[in-house]
Structure formats: C-alpha cells, structure tokens
Amino acid sequence: STQSTGTDSNTAVDLASLADIICKKEKVAYFRRGPSSYELFCEVAKNIMCSGKTPADAPCIATRANRIKIQMSKVHKAVCGYTGNNEMTMKVKEAIVAANQCNNYVFY
C-alpha cells in the first residue's frame, strides 16, 4: 500500500486516539465479529499503545462497537504504511509487521 507522507502525522494522532478508546483500566478492547478480528493486533500492540494506562497483563477483550471497528481498521491500514518518526507509531508498526499483520491481511 502506498501512502503519502502527508498522512503520517495523522496516523500518529489516529493511533493515540485509538489508544484513548481501547485502553481501559483492566482490559484492552478490540473489534471482533464473525471472521473479522483484531485480536492479534491487540495482543502485539497493547503494551506499546496502552503503556502507563493499562497493566501489561491486562487481557484483550472483544467488542462489537462500530466506532472501534472503524478506528481499528483505519489505524491498522495507516500504521502498516507508516514512514514517519513518531516513536509509538514506529513501535506499533514494528510489532504488527513482526506478527505478519501487514502482509496478506484483509481490511474489513
């Protein structure tokens, strides 16, 4: 996926706002419905995204909230194509790339 660098700063902002929505005191929410699931994204990214907000051993809990679906889909796509230098965004990209979440994946 090709992406202009103009959207890179937006990606960092979108990732931070996703963290605000999904990182709770005792859990991390992710979207799941039918075959569409962001569980692995949650597992590999939660300790980066939710650092200082959610305990490291907090579980990823499925939700069907449409708002989370839209934001996770948007952020997942954007982070995979990210070429900027925001530290949290680079770390999340590294983690999801290592977990094969940026190749052969389906965007719902």
Side-chain angles (χ1 to χ4, degrees), residues 15-79:
L15 184 63
S17 59
L18 176 64
D20 284 343
I21 302 169
I22 68 171
C23 303
K24 314 284 188 196
K25 276 199 184 98
E26 291 164 11
K27 67 178 182 182
V28 183
Y30 70 91
F31 179 79
R32 181 173 73 197
R33 190 155 108 221
S36 171
S37 178
Y38 288 93
E39 185 173 13
L40 188 57
F41 177 97
C42 178
E43 291 295 345
V44 300
K46 69 178 184 177
N47 288 343
I48 303 163
M49 292 175 64
C50 303
S51 177
K53 192 170 173 185
T54 308
D57 60 352
C60 285
I61 302 293
T63 175
R64 288 180 163 212
N66 209 41
R67 176 173 170 228
I68 291 178
K69 175 194 175 186
I70 293 164
Q71 192 74 357
M72 287 196 103
S73 175
K74 180 182 177 188
V75 166
H76 184 185
K77 226 177 286 194
V79 170

Side-chain angles (χ1 to χ4, degrees), residues 91-104:
K91 282 182 177 172
V92 170
K93 179 179 180 179
E94 200 176 288
I96 65 175
V97 165
N100 289 320
Q101 290 290 285
C102 287
N103 51 331
N104 304 324

